[in-house]
Amino acid sequence: MKPPTLMRVGVVAVAAVLFMLVLGWWQTRDGDRQAAGILPLPINQMSFALTDQSGDTVQPKDWLGRPTMVFFGFTWCPDICPTTLSDISIWLEEIGPEADRMNTVLISVDPGRDTPEILGDYLSNFDPRIIGLTGPLPQIEQAVDGFRASFRKVPQDDGDYTMDHTAGVFLFDADGRFVSIIDYHEDYRYAVPKIRRALE
Amino acid sequence: MKRIFATLALIAAAGPALACETVTVGPLEVSQAWSRASIGTARPGVVYLTIRNSGTADDALMSITTPAADMPMLHQTVMTDGVASMPHAMEVPVPAEGQVALEPGGYHAMLMELTQVLEEGETFPVTLTFRDAGKVTIPVTIQNIGASEPTCPSPDE
């Protein structure tokens, strides 16, 4: 066997670098999508039909005419979902009756477990203005896509599963235009003014 | 044997276990242990608490046990590009002359397979196992399902 020539080493090195570049590109596509500022669609361009905890069908067009606040979660989530719901309940209380004219919506990313009844039961522990939506998985996927959000089912050791999901709270004005995102657990002093801006 | 232990632990919980208790083991002090009320037993519960280390050596929380759940595990909520995931934490580091909090949005003990409904106002015991300091048991105060921070004051206050 011939020892590797300088030429061969060079070819292998170039190939390796190209491979890493492609791999890097492939791995950062999602990050780039966010960095490139891909924003949620305006509500009037979204399309899905889900069911709220009273059993009524809700479509994005039903939200138009009122400011809208939407977040994703699931009721089997022990940490961040109750925390987000409790944050939102505190924000709504701070804003007071003004927040009555807002759509405040939790979209479940776990329709397998979150039926409308289960959502209703769970949400009865939080601010009554929070509406919970669930429905067939393809409709949930379509909704999540409209927000440029994401979710994923993660199996656990005991055969159960949990969900990874976008944790921010999306704000839209009464015309359905995207206003801003409240990051997970964002300080109340920043969150409440963002909601007030959507209410203007 | 396990059942006897669980029963004893439950009796201990029902007895004069004080909410807002602070316990110590070696150089570690554990305080502000709280949980949220559960709806039934199907969903996982949670435990949050604060660990302070006055010693000069690092330690780590390795595991927890409780009669309130058959499968308690340490987890950490992690944000990646705005997406929350909740990987299993092999251990929670407790830095020398420092502290670590199990708190909403960070490290937390997840109580899978609850054995009892967690009723607001009650307490249940949780036993923490540290790598070096060993084991210690603390009563956990069950707060409202919508609670976002402990009602128990920090031991300094």
Side-chain angles (χ1 to χ4, degrees), chain A residues 34 75-76 78-80 82-83 86 118 125-126 150 157-158 164-167 184, chain B residues 36 39 42-44 48 71 73 77 79 81-85 104-105 145-146 148:
Chain A
Q34 227 161 32
T75 76
W76 255 254
D79 183 39
I80 85 155
T83 305
S86 119
I118 284 177
N125 295 286
F126 298 93
S150 70
D157 300 351
D158 62 346
D164 291 357
H165 61 86
T166 299
Y184 170 69
Chain B
R36 294 193 183 98
I39 306 173
R43 293 187 183 88
Y48 302 114
M71 208 176 148
M73 280 176 101
T77 295
M79 290 291 164
D81 293 333
V83 175
S85 59
I145 191 171
S148 54

PDB file of all heavy atoms in Angstrom, chain A residues 34 75-76 78-80 82-83 86 118 125-126 150 157-158 164-167 184, chain B residues 36 39 42-44 48 71 73 77 79 81-85 104-105 145-146 148:
ATOM      1  N   GLN A  34     -35.456  31.218  12.294  1.00  0.00           N
ATOM      2  CA  GLN A  34     -35.857  32.166  13.320  1.00  0.00           C
ATOM      3  C   GLN A  34     -35.038  33.451  13.213  1.00  0.00           C
ATOM      4  O   GLN A  34     -35.573  34.543  13.274  1.00  0.00           O
ATOM      5  CB  GLN A  34     -35.655  31.537  14.693  1.00  0.00           C
ATOM      6  CG  GLN A  34     -36.853  31.744  15.564  1.00  0.00           C
ATOM      7  CD  GLN A  34     -36.874  30.761  16.705  1.00  0.00           C
ATOM      8  OE1 GLN A  34     -35.835  30.348  17.189  1.00  0.00           O
ATOM      9  NE2 GLN A  34     -38.050  30.392  17.129  1.00  0.00           N
ATOM     10  N   THR A  75     -51.742  19.680  29.448  1.00  0.00           N
ATOM     11  CA  THR A  75     -52.061  19.646  30.882  1.00  0.00           C
ATOM     12  C   THR A  75     -51.284  18.575  31.644  1.00  0.00           C
ATOM     13  O   THR A  75     -51.346  18.549  32.860  1.00  0.00           O
ATOM     14  CB  THR A  75     -53.574  19.468  31.143  1.00  0.00           C
ATOM     15  OG1 THR A  75     -53.931  18.108  30.910  1.00  0.00           O
ATOM     16  CG2 THR A  75     -54.405  20.386  30.268  1.00  0.00           C
ATOM     17  N   TRP A  76     -50.571  17.695  30.935  1.00  0.00           N
ATOM     18  CA  TRP A  76     -49.754  16.691  31.633  1.00  0.00           C
ATOM     19  C   TRP A  76     -48.361  17.217  31.959  1.00  0.00           C
ATOM     20  O   TRP A  76     -47.473  16.487  32.327  1.00  0.00           O
ATOM     21  CB  TRP A  76     -49.646  15.414  30.777  1.00  0.00           C
ATOM     22  CG  TRP A  76     -50.506  14.310  31.319  1.00  0.00           C
ATOM     23  CD1 TRP A  76     -50.073  13.204  31.991  1.00  0.00           C
ATOM     24  CD2 TRP A  76     -51.928  14.181  31.239  1.00  0.00           C
ATOM     25  NE1 TRP A  76     -51.151  12.426  32.339  1.00  0.00           N
ATOM     26  CE2 TRP A  76     -52.290  12.990  31.899  1.00  0.00           C
ATOM     27  CE3 TRP A  76     -52.946  14.985  30.701  1.00  0.00           C
ATOM     28  CZ2 TRP A  76     -53.607  12.566  32.008  1.00  0.00           C
ATOM     29  CZ3 TRP A  76     -54.258  14.560  30.809  1.00  0.00           C
ATOM     30  CH2 TRP A  76     -54.574  13.369  31.454  1.00  0.00           C
ATOM     31  N   PRO A  78     -45.712  19.174  34.067  1.00  0.00           N
ATOM     32  CA  PRO A  78     -45.661  19.532  35.481  1.00  0.00           C
ATOM     33  C   PRO A  78     -45.035  20.889  35.774  1.00  0.00           C
ATOM     34  O   PRO A  78     -45.312  21.491  36.801  1.00  0.00           O
ATOM     35  CB  PRO A  78     -44.796  18.424  36.077  1.00  0.00           C
ATOM     36  CG  PRO A  78     -43.892  18.017  34.969  1.00  0.00           C
ATOM     37  CD  PRO A  78     -44.659  18.228  33.693  1.00  0.00           C
ATOM     38  N   ASP A  79     -44.171  21.367  34.905  1.00  0.00           N
ATOM     39  CA  ASP A  79     -43.376  22.544  35.259  1.00  0.00           C
ATOM     40  C   ASP A  79     -43.817  23.806  34.530  1.00  0.00           C
ATOM     41  O   ASP A  79     -44.372  24.719  35.119  1.00  0.00           O
ATOM     42  CB  ASP A  79     -41.891  22.246  34.993  1.00  0.00           C
ATOM     43  CG  ASP A  79     -40.988  23.392  35.394  1.00  0.00           C
ATOM     44  OD1 ASP A  79     -41.257  24.017  36.428  1.00  0.00           O
ATOM     45  OD2 ASP A  79     -40.012  23.660  34.673  1.00  0.00           O
ATOM     46  N   ILE A  80     -43.560  23.863  33.212  1.00  0.00           N
ATOM     47  CA  ILE A  80     -43.703  25.183  32.588  1.00  0.00           C
ATOM     48  C   ILE A  80     -45.139  25.558  32.256  1.00  0.00           C
ATOM     49  O   ILE A  80     -45.473  26.725  32.253  1.00  0.00           O
ATOM     50  CB  ILE A  80     -42.769  25.384  31.379  1.00  0.00           C
ATOM     51  CG1 ILE A  80     -43.376  24.849  30.133  1.00  0.00           C
ATOM     52  CG2 ILE A  80     -41.394  24.850  31.601  1.00  0.00           C
ATOM     53  CD1 ILE A  80     -42.778  25.575  28.972  1.00  0.00           C
ATOM     54  N   PRO A  82     -48.129  24.928  33.991  1.00  0.00           N
ATOM     55  CA  PRO A  82     -48.790  25.613  35.104  1.00  0.00           C
ATOM     56  C   PRO A  82     -48.143  26.963  35.402  1.00  0.00           C
ATOM     57  O   PRO A  82     -48.831  27.919  35.776  1.00  0.00           O
ATOM     58  CB  PRO A  82     -48.632  24.662  36.300  1.00  0.00           C
ATOM     59  CG  PRO A  82     -47.920  23.462  35.829  1.00  0.00           C
ATOM     60  CD  PRO A  82     -47.632  23.601  34.374  1.00  0.00           C
ATOM     61  N   THR A  83     -46.823  27.058  35.185  1.00  0.00           N
ATOM     62  CA  THR A  83     -46.140  28.329  35.446  1.00  0.00           C
ATOM     63  C   THR A  83     -46.620  29.389  34.456  1.00  0.00           C
ATOM     64  O   THR A  83     -46.930  30.519  34.840  1.00  0.00           O
ATOM     65  CB  THR A  83     -44.611  28.134  35.345  1.00  0.00           C
ATOM     66  OG1 THR A  83     -44.232  27.073  36.227  1.00  0.00           O
ATOM     67  CG2 THR A  83     -43.870  29.388  35.727  1.00  0.00           C
ATOM     68  N   SER A  86     -50.135  30.371  35.243  1.00  0.00           N
ATOM     69  CA  SER A  86     -50.230  31.219  36.414  1.00  0.00           C
ATOM     70  C   SER A  86     -49.683  32.612  36.112  1.00  0.00           C
ATOM     71  O   SER A  86     -50.265  33.618  36.537  1.00  0.00           O
ATOM     72  CB  SER A  86     -49.579  30.506  37.601  1.00  0.00           C
ATOM     73  OG  SER A  86     -48.518  31.206  38.105  1.00  0.00           O
ATOM     74  N   ILE A 118     -61.208  17.609  29.586  1.00  0.00           N
ATOM     75  CA  ILE A 118     -60.021  17.617  30.437  1.00  0.00           C
ATOM     76  C   ILE A 118     -59.399  19.010  30.476  1.00  0.00           C
ATOM     77  O   ILE A 118     -59.009  19.507  31.536  1.00  0.00           O
ATOM     78  CB  ILE A 118     -59.026  16.533  29.963  1.00  0.00           C
ATOM     79  CG1 ILE A 118     -59.558  15.166  30.433  1.00  0.00           C
ATOM     80  CG2 ILE A 118     -57.615  16.790  30.476  1.00  0.00           C
ATOM     81  CD1 ILE A 118     -58.742  13.978  30.007  1.00  0.00           C
ATOM     82  N   ASN A 125     -58.943  26.060  37.082  1.00  0.00           N
ATOM     83  CA  ASN A 125     -58.087  26.491  38.187  1.00  0.00           C
ATOM     84  C   ASN A 125     -57.365  27.808  37.912  1.00  0.00           C
ATOM     85  O   ASN A 125     -56.610  28.281  38.751  1.00  0.00           O
ATOM     86  CB  ASN A 125     -57.035  25.415  38.470  1.00  0.00           C
ATOM     87  CG  ASN A 125     -57.673  24.136  38.960  1.00  0.00           C
ATOM     88  OD1 ASN A 125     -58.116  24.074  40.092  1.00  0.00           O
ATOM     89  ND2 ASN A 125     -57.765  23.148  38.087  1.00  0.00           N
ATOM     90  N   PHE A 126     -57.566  28.343  36.696  1.00  0.00           N
ATOM     91  CA  PHE A 126     -56.830  29.560  36.322  1.00  0.00           C
ATOM     92  C   PHE A 126     -57.831  30.644  35.911  1.00  0.00           C
ATOM     93  O   PHE A 126     -59.032  30.460  36.062  1.00  0.00           O
ATOM     94  CB  PHE A 126     -55.840  29.231  35.193  1.00  0.00           C
ATOM     95  CG  PHE A 126     -54.806  28.221  35.626  1.00  0.00           C
ATOM     96  CD1 PHE A 126     -55.001  26.862  35.413  1.00  0.00           C
ATOM     97  CD2 PHE A 126     -53.662  28.622  36.302  1.00  0.00           C
ATOM     98  CE1 PHE A 126     -54.061  25.921  35.841  1.00  0.00           C
ATOM     99  CE2 PHE A 126     -52.724  27.698  36.736  1.00  0.00           C
ATOM    100  CZ  PHE A 126     -52.918  26.340  36.505  1.00  0.00           C
ATOM    101  N   SER A 150     -43.329  25.106  17.061  1.00  0.00           N
ATOM    102  CA  SER A 150     -43.060  23.695  16.859  1.00  0.00           C
ATOM    103  C   SER A 150     -43.375  22.891  18.113  1.00  0.00           C
ATOM    104  O   SER A 150     -43.449  23.447  19.217  1.00  0.00           O
ATOM    105  CB  SER A 150     -41.608  23.476  16.433  1.00  0.00           C
ATOM    106  OG  SER A 150     -40.751  23.738  17.521  1.00  0.00           O
ATOM    107  N   ASP A 157     -38.954   7.194  30.110  1.00  0.00           N
ATOM    108  CA  ASP A 157     -38.505   5.878  30.582  1.00  0.00           C
ATOM    109  C   ASP A 157     -39.652   4.948  30.985  1.00  0.00           C
ATOM    110  O   ASP A 157     -39.576   3.746  30.817  1.00  0.00           O
ATOM    111  CB  ASP A 157     -37.598   6.051  31.819  1.00  0.00           C
ATOM    112  CG  ASP A 157     -36.379   6.887  31.485  1.00  0.00           C
ATOM    113  OD1 ASP A 157     -36.177   7.167  30.294  1.00  0.00           O
ATOM    114  OD2 ASP A 157     -35.643   7.267  32.417  1.00  0.00           O
ATOM    115  N   ASP A 158     -40.715   5.510  31.538  1.00  0.00           N
ATOM    116  CA  ASP A 158     -41.769   4.647  32.077  1.00  0.00           C
ATOM    117  C   ASP A 158     -42.826   4.293  31.021  1.00  0.00           C
ATOM    118  O   ASP A 158     -43.898   3.812  31.354  1.00  0.00           O
ATOM    119  CB  ASP A 158     -42.430   5.325  33.275  1.00  0.00           C
ATOM    120  CG  ASP A 158     -43.092   6.640  32.899  1.00  0.00           C
ATOM    121  OD1 ASP A 158     -42.818   7.155  31.802  1.00  0.00           O
ATOM    122  OD2 ASP A 158     -43.893   7.147  33.696  1.00  0.00           O
ATOM    123  N   ASP A 164     -42.223  18.388  23.923  1.00  0.00           N
ATOM    124  CA  ASP A 164     -41.442  19.618  23.789  1.00  0.00           C
ATOM    125  C   ASP A 164     -42.313  20.584  22.974  1.00  0.00           C
ATOM    126  O   ASP A 164     -42.989  20.138  22.045  1.00  0.00           O
ATOM    127  CB  ASP A 164     -40.155  19.366  22.989  1.00  0.00           C
ATOM    128  CG  ASP A 164     -39.158  18.511  23.762  1.00  0.00           C
ATOM    129  OD1 ASP A 164     -39.438  18.172  24.916  1.00  0.00           O
ATOM    130  OD2 ASP A 164     -38.110  18.181  23.176  1.00  0.00           O
ATOM    131  N   HIS A 165     -42.290  21.841  23.316  1.00  0.00           N
ATOM    132  CA  HIS A 165     -43.107  22.776  22.524  1.00  0.00           C
ATOM    133  C   HIS A 165     -42.610  24.205  22.681  1.00  0.00           C
ATOM    134  O   HIS A 165     -41.954  24.537  23.668  1.00  0.00           O
ATOM    135  CB  HIS A 165     -44.580  22.685  22.934  1.00  0.00           C
ATOM    136  CG  HIS A 165     -44.824  23.035  24.374  1.00  0.00           C
ATOM    137  ND1 HIS A 165     -45.017  24.315  24.799  1.00  0.00           N
ATOM    138  CD2 HIS A 165     -44.874  22.257  25.482  1.00  0.00           C
ATOM    139  CE1 HIS A 165     -45.190  24.323  26.108  1.00  0.00           C
ATOM    140  NE2 HIS A 165     -45.087  23.086  26.563  1.00  0.00           N
ATOM    141  N   THR A 166     -42.947  25.038  21.715  1.00  0.00           N
ATOM    142  CA  THR A 166     -42.634  26.465  21.776  1.00  0.00           C
ATOM    143  C   THR A 166     -43.290  27.046  23.025  1.00  0.00           C
ATOM    144  O   THR A 166     -44.457  26.780  23.300  1.00  0.00           O
ATOM    145  CB  THR A 166     -43.185  27.171  20.521  1.00  0.00           C
ATOM    146  OG1 THR A 166     -42.553  26.594  19.390  1.00  0.00           O
ATOM    147  CG2 THR A 166     -42.919  28.674  20.564  1.00  0.00           C
ATOM    148  N   ALA A 167     -42.494  27.813  23.796  1.00  0.00           N
ATOM    149  CA  ALA A 167     -42.978  28.217  25.117  1.00  0.00           C
ATOM    150  C   ALA A 167     -43.390  29.683  25.205  1.00  0.00           C
ATOM    151  O   ALA A 167     -43.924  30.098  26.219  1.00  0.00           O
ATOM    152  CB  ALA A 167     -41.901  27.927  26.161  1.00  0.00           C
ATOM    153  N   TYR A 184     -40.848  32.874  27.522  1.00  0.00           N
ATOM    154  CA  TYR A 184     -41.204  32.084  28.689  1.00  0.00           C
ATOM    155  C   TYR A 184     -40.669  32.744  29.959  1.00  0.00           C
ATOM    156  O   TYR A 184     -39.500  33.083  30.039  1.00  0.00           O
ATOM    157  CB  TYR A 184     -40.655  30.664  28.578  1.00  0.00           C
ATOM    158  CG  TYR A 184     -40.819  29.930  29.877  1.00  0.00           C
ATOM    159  CD1 TYR A 184     -42.087  29.574  30.303  1.00  0.00           C
ATOM    160  CD2 TYR A 184     -39.736  29.676  30.706  1.00  0.00           C
ATOM    161  CE1 TYR A 184     -42.278  28.958  31.519  1.00  0.00           C
ATOM    162  CE2 TYR A 184     -39.908  29.066  31.928  1.00  0.00           C
ATOM    163  CZ  TYR A 184     -41.180  28.710  32.332  1.00  0.00           C
ATOM    164  OH  TYR A 184     -41.356  28.117  33.542  1.00  0.00           O
TER     165      TYR A 184
ATOM    166  N   ARG B  36     -47.391  21.714  43.808  1.00  0.00           N
ATOM    167  CA  ARG B  36     -48.696  22.241  43.419  1.00  0.00           C
ATOM    168  C   ARG B  36     -49.747  21.154  43.609  1.00  0.00           C
ATOM    169  O   ARG B  36     -49.458  19.971  43.392  1.00  0.00           O
ATOM    170  CB  ARG B  36     -48.703  22.655  41.941  1.00  0.00           C
ATOM    171  CG  ARG B  36     -47.798  23.812  41.607  1.00  0.00           C
ATOM    172  CD  ARG B  36     -48.126  24.334  40.202  1.00  0.00           C
ATOM    173  NE  ARG B  36     -47.229  25.414  39.825  1.00  0.00           N
ATOM    174  CZ  ARG B  36     -46.154  25.257  39.059  1.00  0.00           C
ATOM    175  NH1 ARG B  36     -45.838  24.051  38.604  1.00  0.00           N
ATOM    176  NH2 ARG B  36     -45.398  26.288  38.750  1.00  0.00           N
ATOM    177  N   ILE B  39     -54.788  17.472  40.135  1.00  0.00           N
ATOM    178  CA  ILE B  39     -56.156  17.052  39.832  1.00  0.00           C
ATOM    179  C   ILE B  39     -56.036  15.544  39.615  1.00  0.00           C
ATOM    180  O   ILE B  39     -55.446  15.117  38.629  1.00  0.00           O
ATOM    181  CB  ILE B  39     -56.673  17.716  38.536  1.00  0.00           C
ATOM    182  CG1 ILE B  39     -56.536  19.241  38.614  1.00  0.00           C
ATOM    183  CG2 ILE B  39     -58.111  17.316  38.264  1.00  0.00           C
ATOM    184  CD1 ILE B  39     -56.869  19.949  37.301  1.00  0.00           C
ATOM    185  N   ALA B  42     -53.320  11.140  37.717  1.00  0.00           N
ATOM    186  CA  ALA B  42     -52.810  10.723  36.404  1.00  0.00           C
ATOM    187  C   ALA B  42     -51.652  11.602  35.925  1.00  0.00           C
ATOM    188  O   ALA B  42     -50.721  11.121  35.295  1.00  0.00           O
ATOM    189  CB  ALA B  42     -53.942  10.752  35.378  1.00  0.00           C
ATOM    190  N   ARG B  43     -51.726  12.882  36.246  1.00  0.00           N
ATOM    191  CA  ARG B  43     -50.680  13.793  35.755  1.00  0.00           C
ATOM    192  C   ARG B  43     -49.481  13.792  36.695  1.00  0.00           C
ATOM    193  O   ARG B  43     -49.627  13.587  37.885  1.00  0.00           O
ATOM    194  CB  ARG B  43     -51.221  15.219  35.680  1.00  0.00           C
ATOM    195  CG  ARG B  43     -52.296  15.413  34.650  1.00  0.00           C
ATOM    196  CD  ARG B  43     -52.619  16.894  34.554  1.00  0.00           C
ATOM    197  NE  ARG B  43     -53.708  17.117  33.619  1.00  0.00           N
ATOM    198  CZ  ARG B  43     -54.992  17.093  33.962  1.00  0.00           C
ATOM    199  NH1 ARG B  43     -55.338  16.862  35.212  1.00  0.00           N
ATOM    200  NH2 ARG B  43     -55.927  17.292  33.057  1.00  0.00           N
ATOM    201  N   PRO B  44     -48.301  14.072  36.172  1.00  0.00           N
ATOM    202  CA  PRO B  44     -47.133  14.156  37.053  1.00  0.00           C
ATOM    203  C   PRO B  44     -47.200  15.392  37.951  1.00  0.00           C
ATOM    204  O   PRO B  44     -47.693  16.432  37.532  1.00  0.00           O
ATOM    205  CB  PRO B  44     -45.955  14.257  36.083  1.00  0.00           C
ATOM    206  CG  PRO B  44     -46.539  14.735  34.797  1.00  0.00           C
ATOM    207  CD  PRO B  44     -47.972  14.298  34.760  1.00  0.00           C
ATOM    208  N   TYR B  48     -40.383  21.681  44.137  1.00  0.00           N
ATOM    209  CA  TYR B  48     -39.357  22.715  44.051  1.00  0.00           C
ATOM    210  C   TYR B  48     -38.784  22.950  45.450  1.00  0.00           C
ATOM    211  O   TYR B  48     -39.499  22.819  46.448  1.00  0.00           O
ATOM    212  CB  TYR B  48     -39.967  24.031  43.551  1.00  0.00           C
ATOM    213  CG  TYR B  48     -40.659  23.962  42.207  1.00  0.00           C
ATOM    214  CD1 TYR B  48     -42.038  24.147  42.094  1.00  0.00           C
ATOM    215  CD2 TYR B  48     -39.934  23.733  41.045  1.00  0.00           C
ATOM    216  CE1 TYR B  48     -42.673  24.116  40.860  1.00  0.00           C
ATOM    217  CE2 TYR B  48     -40.562  23.695  39.812  1.00  0.00           C
ATOM    218  CZ  TYR B  48     -41.931  23.893  39.721  1.00  0.00           C
ATOM    219  OH  TYR B  48     -42.538  23.861  38.496  1.00  0.00           O
ATOM    220  N   MET B  71     -42.573   7.022  40.918  1.00  0.00           N
ATOM    221  CA  MET B  71     -41.431   7.256  40.034  1.00  0.00           C
ATOM    222  C   MET B  71     -41.025   8.724  40.025  1.00  0.00           C
ATOM    223  O   MET B  71     -41.270   9.443  39.062  1.00  0.00           O
ATOM    224  CB  MET B  71     -41.797   6.793  38.627  1.00  0.00           C
ATOM    225  CG  MET B  71     -40.588   6.351  37.854  1.00  0.00           C
ATOM    226  SD  MET B  71     -41.088   5.698  36.264  1.00  0.00           S
ATOM    227  CE  MET B  71     -39.657   6.173  35.341  1.00  0.00           C
ATOM    228  N   MET B  73     -38.420  11.725  39.627  1.00  0.00           N
ATOM    229  CA  MET B  73     -37.180  11.887  38.850  1.00  0.00           C
ATOM    230  C   MET B  73     -36.769  13.346  38.836  1.00  0.00           C
ATOM    231  O   MET B  73     -37.615  14.226  38.919  1.00  0.00           O
ATOM    232  CB  MET B  73     -37.425  11.486  37.397  1.00  0.00           C
ATOM    233  CG  MET B  73     -37.402  10.014  37.130  1.00  0.00           C
ATOM    234  SD  MET B  73     -37.824   9.767  35.399  1.00  0.00           S
ATOM    235  CE  MET B  73     -36.219   9.495  34.744  1.00  0.00           C
ATOM    236  N   THR B  77     -35.907  21.909  32.915  1.00  0.00           N
ATOM    237  CA  THR B  77     -36.518  22.525  31.741  1.00  0.00           C
ATOM    238  C   THR B  77     -35.454  23.342  31.031  1.00  0.00           C
ATOM    239  O   THR B  77     -34.754  24.139  31.650  1.00  0.00           O
ATOM    240  CB  THR B  77     -37.718  23.403  32.140  1.00  0.00           C
ATOM    241  OG1 THR B  77     -38.719  22.548  32.695  1.00  0.00           O
ATOM    242  CG2 THR B  77     -38.282  24.144  30.942  1.00  0.00           C
ATOM    243  N   MET B  79     -34.535  25.650  27.467  1.00  0.00           N
ATOM    244  CA  MET B  79     -35.077  26.380  26.307  1.00  0.00           C
ATOM    245  C   MET B  79     -34.062  26.358  25.174  1.00  0.00           C
ATOM    246  O   MET B  79     -32.914  26.758  25.367  1.00  0.00           O
ATOM    247  CB  MET B  79     -35.317  27.838  26.664  1.00  0.00           C
ATOM    248  CG  MET B  79     -36.437  28.071  27.608  1.00  0.00           C
ATOM    249  SD  MET B  79     -38.020  27.733  26.856  1.00  0.00           S
ATOM    250  CE  MET B  79     -38.962  27.651  28.363  1.00  0.00           C
ATOM    251  N   ASP B  81     -33.968  27.792  21.282  1.00  0.00           N
ATOM    252  CA  ASP B  81     -34.679  28.556  20.254  1.00  0.00           C
ATOM    253  C   ASP B  81     -36.164  28.707  20.578  1.00  0.00           C
ATOM    254  O   ASP B  81     -37.016  28.527  19.707  1.00  0.00           O
ATOM    255  CB  ASP B  81     -34.517  27.882  18.875  1.00  0.00           C
ATOM    256  CG  ASP B  81     -33.081  27.941  18.384  1.00  0.00           C
ATOM    257  OD1 ASP B  81     -32.370  28.868  18.788  1.00  0.00           O
ATOM    258  OD2 ASP B  81     -32.691  27.056  17.594  1.00  0.00           O
ATOM    259  N   GLY B  82     -36.457  28.984  21.832  1.00  0.00           N
ATOM    260  CA  GLY B  82     -37.846  29.233  22.222  1.00  0.00           C
ATOM    261  C   GLY B  82     -38.672  27.984  22.455  1.00  0.00           C
ATOM    262  O   GLY B  82     -39.841  28.067  22.815  1.00  0.00           O
ATOM    263  N   VAL B  83     -38.055  26.804  22.240  1.00  0.00           N
ATOM    264  CA  VAL B  83     -38.783  25.556  22.453  1.00  0.00           C
ATOM    265  C   VAL B  83     -38.360  24.962  23.793  1.00  0.00           C
ATOM    266  O   VAL B  83     -37.168  24.805  24.064  1.00  0.00           O
ATOM    267  CB  VAL B  83     -38.514  24.549  21.312  1.00  0.00           C
ATOM    268  CG1 VAL B  83     -39.177  23.201  21.610  1.00  0.00           C
ATOM    269  CG2 VAL B  83     -39.027  25.115  19.994  1.00  0.00           C
ATOM    270  N   ALA B  84     -39.353  24.649  24.631  1.00  0.00           N
ATOM    271  CA  ALA B  84     -39.062  24.083  25.947  1.00  0.00           C
ATOM    272  C   ALA B  84     -38.997  22.567  25.863  1.00  0.00           C
ATOM    273  O   ALA B  84     -39.883  21.935  25.302  1.00  0.00           O
ATOM    274  CB  ALA B  84     -40.146  24.490  26.934  1.00  0.00           C
ATOM    275  N   SER B  85     -37.931  21.992  26.404  1.00  0.00           N
ATOM    276  CA  SER B  85     -37.881  20.549  26.557  1.00  0.00           C
ATOM    277  C   SER B  85     -37.504  20.262  28.006  1.00  0.00           C
ATOM    278  O   SER B  85     -37.108  21.161  28.742  1.00  0.00           O
ATOM    279  CB  SER B  85     -36.883  19.915  25.585  1.00  0.00           C
ATOM    280  OG  SER B  85     -35.601  20.451  25.820  1.00  0.00           O
ATOM    281  N   PRO B 104     -39.538  26.879  39.116  1.00  0.00           N
ATOM    282  CA  PRO B 104     -40.236  26.821  37.828  1.00  0.00           C
ATOM    283  C   PRO B 104     -39.329  27.246  36.671  1.00  0.00           C
ATOM    284  O   PRO B 104     -38.636  28.263  36.760  1.00  0.00           O
ATOM    285  CB  PRO B 104     -41.400  27.800  38.019  1.00  0.00           C
ATOM    286  CG  PRO B 104     -41.678  27.740  39.496  1.00  0.00           C
ATOM    287  CD  PRO B 104     -40.320  27.596  40.126  1.00  0.00           C
ATOM    288  N   GLY B 105     -39.305  26.449  35.632  1.00  0.00           N
ATOM    289  CA  GLY B 105     -38.521  26.770  34.455  1.00  0.00           C
ATOM    290  C   GLY B 105     -37.076  26.343  34.545  1.00  0.00           C
ATOM    291  O   GLY B 105     -36.293  26.637  33.643  1.00  0.00           O
ATOM    292  N   ILE B 145     -52.707  25.049  42.657  1.00  0.00           N
ATOM    293  CA  ILE B 145     -52.264  24.581  41.343  1.00  0.00           C
ATOM    294  C   ILE B 145     -51.714  25.748  40.508  1.00  0.00           C
ATOM    295  O   ILE B 145     -50.869  25.562  39.642  1.00  0.00           O
ATOM    296  CB  ILE B 145     -53.420  23.856  40.612  1.00  0.00           C
ATOM    297  CG1 ILE B 145     -52.920  23.141  39.371  1.00  0.00           C
ATOM    298  CG2 ILE B 145     -54.555  24.804  40.282  1.00  0.00           C
ATOM    299  CD1 ILE B 145     -53.941  22.225  38.729  1.00  0.00           C
ATOM    300  N   GLY B 146     -52.152  26.971  40.803  1.00  0.00           N
ATOM    301  CA  GLY B 146     -51.678  28.126  40.049  1.00  0.00           C
ATOM    302  C   GLY B 146     -50.527  28.860  40.721  1.00  0.00           C
ATOM    303  O   GLY B 146     -50.159  29.952  40.301  1.00  0.00           O
ATOM    304  N   SER B 148     -46.843  30.111  41.684  1.00  0.00           N
ATOM    305  CA  SER B 148     -45.634  30.218  40.878  1.00  0.00           C
ATOM    306  C   SER B 148     -44.386  30.432  41.722  1.00  0.00           C
ATOM    307  O   SER B 148     -43.288  30.510  41.186  1.00  0.00           O
ATOM    308  CB  SER B 148     -45.774  31.339  39.848  1.00  0.00           C
ATOM    309  OG  SER B 148     -46.121  32.533  40.499  1.00  0.00           O
TER     310      SER B 148
END
